[in-house]
Amino acid sequence: MSIAPTTETDESTRPVTPAPGRGAWAPLRPLVLRLHFYAGVLVAPFLLVAATTGFLYAASFQAEKILYSHEMTVPVGDEKLPISEQVAAARKAHPEGTVSAVRPSPEDDETTRVMLSGVSGIGETHTLAVFVDPYTAKVRGALEQYGSTGALPLRTWIDEFHANLKLGDNGRLYSELAASWLWVIAAGGLVLWFGRRRSQRKIRGTSGRRRTLGLHGTVGVWAALGFLFLSATGLTWSTYAGANIDELRTSLRQATPSVSAATGGEHSGHGAGAAEGGVEHGVGLDKVLAAARAKGLGDPVEIVPPADASSAYVVRQVQRSWPTKQDAVAVDPTTGEVADTVRFADYPVLAKLTRWGIDAHTGVLFGIVNQLVLMALALSLILLILWGYRMWWQRGRASAFGRPVPRGAWQQVPAHVLVPLMAGIAVLGYFVPLLGIPLAAFIAVDVVLGEIAYRRGKRTYGPSKEAVK
């Protein structure tokens, strides 16, 4: 959100001076305005891409159900076959690769998914999902799948474009940059909006730039809380800020626990040889699933075969919608007994909040309602960016395109406010580097340009001669 100032001042003709009679807020407003303006102008292209792809991603959940309905759904039959028979049918149709996981049919009208890894033509982080009718063991198709939510080709493509522009790990910097700055822009917009007189916030009866400003501010205020949430949750699994957050959670003993797949005892590894395809270890899938059911793990679940002869099966719930089901057990392949259990109810507080935050960010926590809210937020952000650029153009239309906000705002802030503020920004920039590094670069460039203008006799900041008198 890029709210431009209400007065038609030019950087080269008028210095920044605080408005009289506004108390402690007066010297801070120009600083917030300048940061909001430039952050909006420079980061908006990244936010525009993130908002557009985010809108499409939220819509892709329902589109996926329509596009892949043949693979995902089946007519309801009388009785589901044992999971081992369903997997055997999938392996007969697709003997390539190895079985990395199995998701038994979670609903009466849904297929079982058998995920194969190491398949030629399928990415290393992707799997080939084979869809099996749980009543007849007939294979209904196979599609590339990605991620813990089981994204199929349409949603996978949009997800990866949203996350990294299809450029791999380096491309993730764009989305982290957008998430790092979104909360700054949103918070700055809120401060500026509520710092204005009530009469200046209205839309009705206004026109031109004043009307654009009213629309921009009103929509921004209503959507700001959602933007703050998206920014915070987006950072939790980003490259650099996400690593810092994980380190902080670990130091506070708030990391997400995981079930131990290691087995022990004198019979460890005996009778646990892998059958063809690497799935029917030891007691087999049917007994493993029965053991997990006995521990209260209801659908939807995912069964992960042992990685080697000394590992256990892992059965975990994969329901990310409300109420969240994330319990997991490890089942010894030699005895069929549960060797370890992790309950979602026992997760640390921050681990639960992280799980819920990410799931709400990706549109799965509250289903279609969640997805509609995300689409509304994405559309709001797109409109705010367009209105922000329009205000920039309207502000400089009389003389030059997009005149910037004047320099010198920081000089009006008292030292007892500026010093703690800069210290806080430095600490924040350390933990969120894609906020700190661009901000430091902007300040450096701004100082250099200001010095150049000063040396040319066109100083545009600091108190004017009239103010000194």
Side-chain angles (χ1 to χ4, degrees), residues 340-361:
D340 189 27
T341 303
V342 172
R343 302 289 184 185
F344 183 72
D346 298 328
Y347 277 27
V349 173
L350 290 184
K352 287 182 178 178
L353 292 177
T354 300
R355 177 75 276 147
W356 289 327
I358 292 175
D359 292 340
H361 184 110

mmCIF file with all atom_site columns, all heavy atoms in Angstrom, residues 340-361:
data_model
loop_
_atom_site.group_PDB
_atom_site.id
_atom_site.type_symbol
_atom_site.label_atom_id
_atom_site.label_alt_id
_atom_site.label_comp_id
_atom_site.label_asym_id
_atom_site.label_entity_id
_atom_site.label_seq_id
_atom_site.pdbx_PDB_ins_code
_atom_site.Cartn_x
_atom_site.Cartn_y
_atom_site.Cartn_z
_atom_site.occupancy
_atom_site.B_iso_or_equiv
_atom_site.pdbx_formal_charge
_atom_site.auth_seq_id
_atom_site.auth_comp_id
_atom_site.auth_asym_id
_atom_site.auth_atom_id
_atom_site.pdbx_PDB_model_num
ATOM 1   N N   . ASP A 1 340 ? 6.514  -46.000 18.947 1.00 0.00 ? 340 ASP A N   1
ATOM 2   C CA  . ASP A 1 340 ? 6.587  -44.598 19.379 1.00 0.00 ? 340 ASP A CA  1
ATOM 3   C C   . ASP A 1 340 ? 5.312  -43.888 18.939 1.00 0.00 ? 340 ASP A C   1
ATOM 4   O O   . ASP A 1 340 ? 4.719  -44.240 17.900 1.00 0.00 ? 340 ASP A O   1
ATOM 5   C CB  . ASP A 1 340 ? 7.818  -43.913 18.788 1.00 0.00 ? 340 ASP A CB  1
ATOM 6   C CG  . ASP A 1 340 ? 8.065  -42.531 19.384 1.00 0.00 ? 340 ASP A CG  1
ATOM 7   O OD1 . ASP A 1 340 ? 7.659  -42.310 20.538 1.00 0.00 ? 340 ASP A OD1 1
ATOM 8   O OD2 . ASP A 1 340 ? 8.669  -41.674 18.691 1.00 0.00 ? 340 ASP A OD2 1
ATOM 9   N N   . THR A 1 341 ? 4.902  -42.899 19.712 1.00 0.00 ? 341 THR A N   1
ATOM 10  C CA  . THR A 1 341 ? 3.678  -42.146 19.416 1.00 0.00 ? 341 THR A CA  1
ATOM 11  C C   . THR A 1 341 ? 3.901  -40.662 19.681 1.00 0.00 ? 341 THR A C   1
ATOM 12  O O   . THR A 1 341 ? 4.526  -40.296 20.676 1.00 0.00 ? 341 THR A O   1
ATOM 13  C CB  . THR A 1 341 ? 2.505  -42.628 20.299 1.00 0.00 ? 341 THR A CB  1
ATOM 14  O OG1 . THR A 1 341 ? 2.308  -44.036 20.100 1.00 0.00 ? 341 THR A OG1 1
ATOM 15  C CG2 . THR A 1 341 ? 1.220  -41.886 19.952 1.00 0.00 ? 341 THR A CG2 1
ATOM 16  N N   . VAL A 1 342 ? 3.419  -39.835 18.778 1.00 0.00 ? 342 VAL A N   1
ATOM 17  C CA  . VAL A 1 342 ? 3.436  -38.376 18.968 1.00 0.00 ? 342 VAL A CA  1
ATOM 18  C C   . VAL A 1 342 ? 2.029  -37.866 18.722 1.00 0.00 ? 342 VAL A C   1
ATOM 19  O O   . VAL A 1 342 ? 1.443  -38.158 17.674 1.00 0.00 ? 342 VAL A O   1
ATOM 20  C CB  . VAL A 1 342 ? 4.431  -37.686 18.016 1.00 0.00 ? 342 VAL A CB  1
ATOM 21  C CG1 . VAL A 1 342 ? 4.287  -36.173 18.099 1.00 0.00 ? 342 VAL A CG1 1
ATOM 22  C CG2 . VAL A 1 342 ? 5.867  -38.089 18.347 1.00 0.00 ? 342 VAL A CG2 1
ATOM 23  N N   . ARG A 1 343 ? 1.502  -37.123 19.690 1.00 0.00 ? 343 ARG A N   1
ATOM 24  C CA  . ARG A 1 343 ? 0.153  -36.569 19.579 1.00 0.00 ? 343 ARG A CA  1
ATOM 25  C C   . ARG A 1 343 ? 0.222  -35.069 19.303 1.00 0.00 ? 343 ARG A C   1
ATOM 26  O O   . ARG A 1 343 ? 1.034  -34.360 19.897 1.00 0.00 ? 343 ARG A O   1
ATOM 27  C CB  . ARG A 1 343 ? -0.633 -36.805 20.866 1.00 0.00 ? 343 ARG A CB  1
ATOM 28  C CG  . ARG A 1 343 ? -0.774 -38.260 21.282 1.00 0.00 ? 343 ARG A CG  1
ATOM 29  C CD  . ARG A 1 343 ? -1.701 -39.014 20.364 1.00 0.00 ? 343 ARG A CD  1
ATOM 30  N NE  . ARG A 1 343 ? -1.907 -40.393 20.829 1.00 0.00 ? 343 ARG A NE  1
ATOM 31  C CZ  . ARG A 1 343 ? -2.599 -41.292 20.139 1.00 0.00 ? 343 ARG A CZ  1
ATOM 32  N NH1 . ARG A 1 343 ? -3.154 -40.976 18.981 1.00 0.00 ? 343 ARG A NH1 1
ATOM 33  N NH2 . ARG A 1 343 ? -2.731 -42.531 20.618 1.00 0.00 ? 343 ARG A NH2 1
ATOM 34  N N   . PHE A 1 344 ? -0.657 -34.600 18.428 1.00 0.00 ? 344 PHE A N   1
ATOM 35  C CA  . PHE A 1 344 ? -0.704 -33.168 18.138 1.00 0.00 ? 344 PHE A CA  1
ATOM 36  C C   . PHE A 1 344 ? -1.067 -32.384 19.395 1.00 0.00 ? 344 PHE A C   1
ATOM 37  O O   . PHE A 1 344 ? -0.599 -31.258 19.588 1.00 0.00 ? 344 PHE A O   1
ATOM 38  C CB  . PHE A 1 344 ? -1.726 -32.888 17.033 1.00 0.00 ? 344 PHE A CB  1
ATOM 39  C CG  . PHE A 1 344 ? -1.794 -31.438 16.629 1.00 0.00 ? 344 PHE A CG  1
ATOM 40  C CD1 . PHE A 1 344 ? -0.776 -30.854 15.900 1.00 0.00 ? 344 PHE A CD1 1
ATOM 41  C CD2 . PHE A 1 344 ? -2.880 -30.660 16.984 1.00 0.00 ? 344 PHE A CD2 1
ATOM 42  C CE1 . PHE A 1 344 ? -0.833 -29.516 15.528 1.00 0.00 ? 344 PHE A CE1 1
ATOM 43  C CE2 . PHE A 1 344 ? -2.951 -29.319 16.620 1.00 0.00 ? 344 PHE A CE2 1
ATOM 44  C CZ  . PHE A 1 344 ? -1.928 -28.747 15.889 1.00 0.00 ? 344 PHE A CZ  1
ATOM 45  N N   . ALA A 1 345 ? -1.866 -32.990 20.262 1.00 0.00 ? 345 ALA A N   1
ATOM 46  C CA  . ALA A 1 345 ? -2.252 -32.316 21.504 1.00 0.00 ? 345 ALA A CA  1
ATOM 47  C C   . ALA A 1 345 ? -1.052 -32.015 22.386 1.00 0.00 ? 345 ALA A C   1
ATOM 48  O O   . ALA A 1 345 ? -1.095 -31.098 23.216 1.00 0.00 ? 345 ALA A O   1
ATOM 49  C CB  . ALA A 1 345 ? -3.262 -33.170 22.273 1.00 0.00 ? 345 ALA A CB  1
ATOM 50  N N   . ASP A 1 346 ? 0.042  -32.775 22.200 1.00 0.00 ? 346 ASP A N   1
ATOM 51  C CA  . ASP A 1 346 ? 1.239  -32.586 23.014 1.00 0.00 ? 346 ASP A CA  1
ATOM 52  C C   . ASP A 1 346 ? 2.259  -31.660 22.352 1.00 0.00 ? 346 ASP A C   1
ATOM 53  O O   . ASP A 1 346 ? 3.336  -31.432 22.923 1.00 0.00 ? 346 ASP A O   1
ATOM 54  C CB  . ASP A 1 346 ? 1.897  -33.944 23.297 1.00 0.00 ? 346 ASP A CB  1
ATOM 55  C CG  . ASP A 1 346 ? 0.973  -34.870 24.090 1.00 0.00 ? 346 ASP A CG  1
ATOM 56  O OD1 . ASP A 1 346 ? 0.186  -34.352 24.905 1.00 0.00 ? 346 ASP A OD1 1
ATOM 57  O OD2 . ASP A 1 346 ? 1.036  -36.099 23.876 1.00 0.00 ? 346 ASP A OD2 1
ATOM 58  N N   . TYR A 1 347 ? 1.957  -31.132 21.167 1.00 0.00 ? 347 TYR A N   1
ATOM 59  C CA  . TYR A 1 347 ? 2.870  -30.191 20.516 1.00 0.00 ? 347 TYR A CA  1
ATOM 60  C C   . TYR A 1 347 ? 3.072  -28.960 21.402 1.00 0.00 ? 347 TYR A C   1
ATOM 61  O O   . TYR A 1 347 ? 2.137  -28.506 22.071 1.00 0.00 ? 347 TYR A O   1
ATOM 62  C CB  . TYR A 1 347 ? 2.290  -29.720 19.181 1.00 0.00 ? 347 TYR A CB  1
ATOM 63  C CG  . TYR A 1 347 ? 2.518  -30.630 17.997 1.00 0.00 ? 347 TYR A CG  1
ATOM 64  C CD1 . TYR A 1 347 ? 2.688  -32.000 18.137 1.00 0.00 ? 347 TYR A CD1 1
ATOM 65  C CD2 . TYR A 1 347 ? 2.539  -30.115 16.704 1.00 0.00 ? 347 TYR A CD2 1
ATOM 66  C CE1 . TYR A 1 347 ? 2.869  -32.822 17.041 1.00 0.00 ? 347 TYR A CE1 1
ATOM 67  C CE2 . TYR A 1 347 ? 2.718  -30.925 15.602 1.00 0.00 ? 347 TYR A CE2 1
ATOM 68  C CZ  . TYR A 1 347 ? 2.886  -32.280 15.771 1.00 0.00 ? 347 TYR A CZ  1
ATOM 69  O OH  . TYR A 1 347 ? 3.067  -33.084 14.675 1.00 0.00 ? 347 TYR A OH  1
ATOM 70  N N   . PRO A 1 348 ? 4.269  -28.355 21.392 1.00 0.00 ? 348 PRO A N   1
ATOM 71  C CA  . PRO A 1 348 ? 4.453  -27.059 22.056 1.00 0.00 ? 348 PRO A CA  1
ATOM 72  C C   . PRO A 1 348 ? 3.549  -25.996 21.425 1.00 0.00 ? 348 PRO A C   1
ATOM 73  O O   . PRO A 1 348 ? 3.117  -26.135 20.273 1.00 0.00 ? 348 PRO A O   1
ATOM 74  C CB  . PRO A 1 348 ? 5.927  -26.749 21.811 1.00 0.00 ? 348 PRO A CB  1
ATOM 75  C CG  . PRO A 1 348 ? 6.563  -28.056 21.496 1.00 0.00 ? 348 PRO A CG  1
ATOM 76  C CD  . PRO A 1 348 ? 5.514  -28.870 20.807 1.00 0.00 ? 348 PRO A CD  1
ATOM 77  N N   . VAL A 1 349 ? 3.286  -24.951 22.166 1.00 0.00 ? 349 VAL A N   1
ATOM 78  C CA  . VAL A 1 349 ? 2.357  -23.915 21.708 1.00 0.00 ? 349 VAL A CA  1
ATOM 79  C C   . VAL A 1 349 ? 2.791  -23.318 20.371 1.00 0.00 ? 349 VAL A C   1
ATOM 80  O O   . VAL A 1 349 ? 1.984  -23.183 19.437 1.00 0.00 ? 349 VAL A O   1
ATOM 81  C CB  . VAL A 1 349 ? 2.220  -22.803 22.770 1.00 0.00 ? 349 VAL A CB  1
ATOM 82  C CG1 . VAL A 1 349 ? 1.384  -21.645 22.227 1.00 0.00 ? 349 VAL A CG1 1
ATOM 83  C CG2 . VAL A 1 349 ? 1.580  -23.351 24.042 1.00 0.00 ? 349 VAL A CG2 1
ATOM 84  N N   . LEU A 1 350 ? 4.073  -22.939 20.260 1.00 0.00 ? 350 LEU A N   1
ATOM 85  C CA  . LEU A 1 350 ? 4.528  -22.310 19.023 1.00 0.00 ? 350 LEU A CA  1
ATOM 86  C C   . LEU A 1 350 ? 4.487  -23.279 17.842 1.00 0.00 ? 350 LEU A C   1
ATOM 87  O O   . LEU A 1 350 ? 4.277  -22.865 16.702 1.00 0.00 ? 350 LEU A O   1
ATOM 88  C CB  . LEU A 1 350 ? 5.947  -21.756 19.195 1.00 0.00 ? 350 LEU A CB  1
ATOM 89  C CG  . LEU A 1 350 ? 6.089  -20.537 20.107 1.00 0.00 ? 350 LEU A CG  1
ATOM 90  C CD1 . LEU A 1 350 ? 7.531  -20.037 20.111 1.00 0.00 ? 350 LEU A CD1 1
ATOM 91  C CD2 . LEU A 1 350 ? 5.149  -19.412 19.652 1.00 0.00 ? 350 LEU A CD2 1
ATOM 92  N N   . ALA A 1 351 ? 4.685  -24.564 18.107 1.00 0.00 ? 351 ALA A N   1
ATOM 93  C CA  . ALA A 1 351 ? 4.586  -25.558 17.034 1.00 0.00 ? 351 ALA A CA  1
ATOM 94  C C   . ALA A 1 351 ? 3.156  -25.648 16.527 1.00 0.00 ? 351 ALA A C   1
ATOM 95  O O   . ALA A 1 351 ? 2.917  -25.740 15.311 1.00 0.00 ? 351 ALA A O   1
ATOM 96  C CB  . ALA A 1 351 ? 5.063  -26.920 17.536 1.00 0.00 ? 351 ALA A CB  1
ATOM 97  N N   . LYS A 1 352 ? 2.183  -25.605 17.428 1.00 0.00 ? 352 LYS A N   1
ATOM 98  C CA  . LYS A 1 352 ? 0.778  -25.617 17.017 1.00 0.00 ? 352 LYS A CA  1
ATOM 99  C C   . LYS A 1 352 ? 0.435  -24.353 16.230 1.00 0.00 ? 352 LYS A C   1
ATOM 100 O O   . LYS A 1 352 ? -0.221 -24.416 15.182 1.00 0.00 ? 352 LYS A O   1
ATOM 101 C CB  . LYS A 1 352 ? -0.128 -25.724 18.240 1.00 0.00 ? 352 LYS A CB  1
ATOM 102 C CG  . LYS A 1 352 ? -0.141 -27.086 18.908 1.00 0.00 ? 352 LYS A CG  1
ATOM 103 C CD  . LYS A 1 352 ? -1.105 -27.079 20.085 1.00 0.00 ? 352 LYS A CD  1
ATOM 104 C CE  . LYS A 1 352 ? -1.172 -28.445 20.758 1.00 0.00 ? 352 LYS A CE  1
ATOM 105 N NZ  . LYS A 1 352 ? -2.074 -28.452 21.926 1.00 0.00 ? 352 LYS A NZ  1
ATOM 106 N N   . LEU A 1 353 ? 0.864  -23.198 16.752 1.00 0.00 ? 353 LEU A N   1
ATOM 107 C CA  . LEU A 1 353 ? 0.555  -21.941 16.073 1.00 0.00 ? 353 LEU A CA  1
ATOM 108 C C   . LEU A 1 353 ? 1.186  -21.893 14.685 1.00 0.00 ? 353 LEU A C   1
ATOM 109 O O   . LEU A 1 353 ? 0.578  -21.390 13.730 1.00 0.00 ? 353 LEU A O   1
ATOM 110 C CB  . LEU A 1 353 ? 1.039  -20.763 16.921 1.00 0.00 ? 353 LEU A CB  1
ATOM 111 C CG  . LEU A 1 353 ? 0.296  -20.528 18.249 1.00 0.00 ? 353 LEU A CG  1
ATOM 112 C CD1 . LEU A 1 353 ? 0.935  -19.388 19.013 1.00 0.00 ? 353 LEU A CD1 1
ATOM 113 C CD2 . LEU A 1 353 ? -1.182 -20.249 17.994 1.00 0.00 ? 353 LEU A CD2 1
ATOM 114 N N   . THR A 1 354 ? 2.401  -22.421 14.569 1.00 0.00 ? 354 THR A N   1
ATOM 115 C CA  . THR A 1 354 ? 3.059  -22.459 13.258 1.00 0.00 ? 354 THR A CA  1
ATOM 116 C C   . THR A 1 354 ? 2.288  -23.340 12.293 1.00 0.00 ? 354 THR A C   1
ATOM 117 O O   . THR A 1 354 ? 2.081  -22.980 11.128 1.00 0.00 ? 354 THR A O   1
ATOM 118 C CB  . THR A 1 354 ? 4.502  -22.971 13.405 1.00 0.00 ? 354 THR A CB  1
ATOM 119 O OG1 . THR A 1 354 ? 5.231  -22.095 14.264 1.00 0.00 ? 354 THR A OG1 1
ATOM 120 C CG2 . THR A 1 354 ? 5.197  -23.037 12.051 1.00 0.00 ? 354 THR A CG2 1
ATOM 121 N N   . ARG A 1 355 ? 1.847  -24.514 12.774 1.00 0.00 ? 355 ARG A N   1
ATOM 122 C CA  . ARG A 1 355 ? 1.079  -25.430 11.935 1.00 0.00 ? 355 ARG A CA  1
ATOM 123 C C   . ARG A 1 355 ? -0.214 -24.777 11.463 1.00 0.00 ? 355 ARG A C   1
ATOM 124 O O   . ARG A 1 355 ? -0.546 -24.801 10.280 1.00 0.00 ? 355 ARG A O   1
ATOM 125 C CB  . ARG A 1 355 ? 0.771  -26.694 12.746 1.00 0.00 ? 355 ARG A CB  1
ATOM 126 C CG  . ARG A 1 355 ? -0.090 -27.746 12.072 1.00 0.00 ? 355 ARG A CG  1
ATOM 127 C CD  . ARG A 1 355 ? 0.669  -28.507 11.026 1.00 0.00 ? 355 ARG A CD  1
ATOM 128 N NE  . ARG A 1 355 ? 0.702  -27.809 9.741  1.00 0.00 ? 355 ARG A NE  1
ATOM 129 C CZ  . ARG A 1 355 ? 1.713  -27.871 8.897  1.00 0.00 ? 355 ARG A CZ  1
ATOM 130 N NH1 . ARG A 1 355 ? 2.781  -28.586 9.184  1.00 0.00 ? 355 ARG A NH1 1
ATOM 131 N NH2 . ARG A 1 355 ? 1.678  -27.228 7.754  1.00 0.00 ? 355 ARG A NH2 1
ATOM 132 N N   . TRP A 1 356 ? -0.957 -24.167 12.387 1.00 0.00 ? 356 TRP A N   1
ATOM 133 C CA  . TRP A 1 356 ? -2.208 -23.525 12.017 1.00 0.00 ? 356 TRP A CA  1
ATOM 134 C C   . TRP A 1 356 ? -1.971 -22.319 11.107 1.00 0.00 ? 356 TRP A C   1
ATOM 135 O O   . TRP A 1 356 ? -2.739 -22.084 10.171 1.00 0.00 ? 356 TRP A O   1
ATOM 136 C CB  . TRP A 1 356 ? -2.967 -23.103 13.282 1.00 0.00 ? 356 TRP A CB  1
ATOM 137 C CG  . TRP A 1 356 ? -3.540 -24.241 14.059 1.00 0.00 ? 356 TRP A CG  1
ATOM 138 C CD1 . TRP A 1 356 ? -4.016 -25.417 13.556 1.00 0.00 ? 356 TRP A CD1 1
ATOM 139 C CD2 . TRP A 1 356 ? -3.688 -24.329 15.484 1.00 0.00 ? 356 TRP A CD2 1
ATOM 140 N NE1 . TRP A 1 356 ? -4.463 -26.235 14.569 1.00 0.00 ? 356 TRP A NE1 1
ATOM 141 C CE2 . TRP A 1 356 ? -4.290 -25.608 15.760 1.00 0.00 ? 356 TRP A CE2 1
ATOM 142 C CE3 . TRP A 1 356 ? -3.402 -23.474 16.545 1.00 0.00 ? 356 TRP A CE3 1
ATOM 143 C CZ2 . TRP A 1 356 ? -4.574 -26.018 17.061 1.00 0.00 ? 356 TRP A CZ2 1
ATOM 144 C CZ3 . TRP A 1 356 ? -3.691 -23.894 17.844 1.00 0.00 ? 356 TRP A CZ3 1
ATOM 145 C CH2 . TRP A 1 356 ? -4.277 -25.142 18.091 1.00 0.00 ? 356 TRP A CH2 1
ATOM 146 N N   . GLY A 1 357 ? -0.917 -21.565 11.389 1.00 0.00 ? 357 GLY A N   1
ATOM 147 C CA  . GLY A 1 357 ? -0.632 -20.386 10.579 1.00 0.00 ? 357 GLY A CA  1
ATOM 148 C C   . GLY A 1 357 ? -0.317 -20.733 9.140  1.00 0.00 ? 357 GLY A C   1
ATOM 149 O O   . GLY A 1 357 ? -0.841 -20.123 8.204  1.00 0.00 ? 357 GLY A O   1
ATOM 150 N N   . ILE A 1 358 ? 0.538  -21.742 8.952  1.00 0.00 ? 358 ILE A N   1
ATOM 151 C CA  . ILE A 1 358 ? 0.895  -22.155 7.596  1.00 0.00 ? 358 ILE A CA  1
ATOM 152 C C   . ILE A 1 358 ? -0.320 -22.718 6.867  1.00 0.00 ? 358 ILE A C   1
ATOM 153 O O   . ILE A 1 358 ? -0.542 -22.432 5.679  1.00 0.00 ? 358 ILE A O   1
ATOM 154 C CB  . ILE A 1 358 ? 2.035  -23.191 7.640  1.00 0.00 ? 358 ILE A CB  1
ATOM 155 C CG1 . ILE A 1 358 ? 3.328  -22.520 8.123  1.00 0.00 ? 358 ILE A CG1 1
ATOM 156 C CG2 . ILE A 1 358 ? 2.237  -23.833 6.277  1.00 0.00 ? 358 ILE A CG2 1
ATOM 157 C CD1 . ILE A 1 358 ? 4.476  -23.485 8.305  1.00 0.00 ? 358 ILE A CD1 1
ATOM 158 N N   . ASP A 1 359 ? -1.130 -23.508 7.576  1.00 0.00 ? 359 ASP A N   1
ATOM 159 C CA  . ASP A 1 359 ? -2.293 -24.107 6.936  1.00 0.00 ? 359 ASP A CA  1
ATOM 160 C C   . ASP A 1 359 ? -3.335 -23.057 6.550  1.00 0.00 ? 359 ASP A C   1
ATOM 161 O O   . ASP A 1 359 ? -3.994 -23.180 5.511  1.00 0.00 ? 359 ASP A O   1
ATOM 162 C CB  . ASP A 1 359 ? -2.914 -25.156 7.855  1.00 0.00 ? 359 ASP A CB  1
ATOM 163 C CG  . ASP A 1 359 ? -2.012 -26.364 8.045  1.00 0.00 ? 359 ASP A CG  1
ATOM 164 O OD1 . ASP A 1 359 ? -1.131 -26.562 7.195  1.00 0.00 ? 359 ASP A OD1 1
ATOM 165 O OD2 . ASP A 1 359 ? -2.185 -27.091 9.039  1.00 0.00 ? 359 ASP A OD2 1
ATOM 166 N N   . ALA A 1 360 ? -3.487 -22.021 7.387  1.00 0.00 ? 360 ALA A N   1
ATOM 167 C CA  . ALA A 1 360 ? -4.396 -20.931 7.016  1.00 0.00 ? 360 ALA A CA  1
ATOM 168 C C   . ALA A 1 360 ? -3.829 -20.142 5.846  1.00 0.00 ? 360 ALA A C   1
ATOM 169 O O   . ALA A 1 360 ? -4.563 -19.711 4.947  1.00 0.00 ? 360 ALA A O   1
ATOM 170 C CB  . ALA A 1 360 ? -4.633 -20.011 8.213  1.00 0.00 ? 360 ALA A CB  1
ATOM 171 N N   . HIS A 1 361 ? -2.517 -19.948 5.830  1.00 0.00 ? 361 HIS A N   1
ATOM 172 C CA  . HIS A 1 361 ? -1.861 -19.216 4.731  1.00 0.00 ? 361 HIS A CA  1
ATOM 173 C C   . HIS A 1 361 ? -2.044 -19.947 3.403  1.00 0.00 ? 361 HIS A C   1
ATOM 174 O O   . HIS A 1 361 ? -2.220 -19.310 2.357  1.00 0.00 ? 361 HIS A O   1
ATOM 175 C CB  . HIS A 1 361 ? -0.371 -19.074 5.054  1.00 0.00 ? 361 HIS A CB  1
ATOM 176 C CG  . HIS A 1 361 ? 0.395  -18.257 4.056  1.00 0.00 ? 361 HIS A CG  1
ATOM 177 N ND1 . HIS A 1 361 ? 0.897  -17.014 4.334  1.00 0.00 ? 361 HIS A ND1 1
ATOM 178 C CD2 . HIS A 1 361 ? 0.750  -18.506 2.767  1.00 0.00 ? 361 HIS A CD2 1
ATOM 179 C CE1 . HIS A 1 361 ? 1.516  -16.533 3.280  1.00 0.00 ? 361 HIS A CE1 1
ATOM 180 N NE2 . HIS A 1 361 ? 1.446  -17.425 2.301  1.00 0.00 ? 361 HIS A NE2 1
#
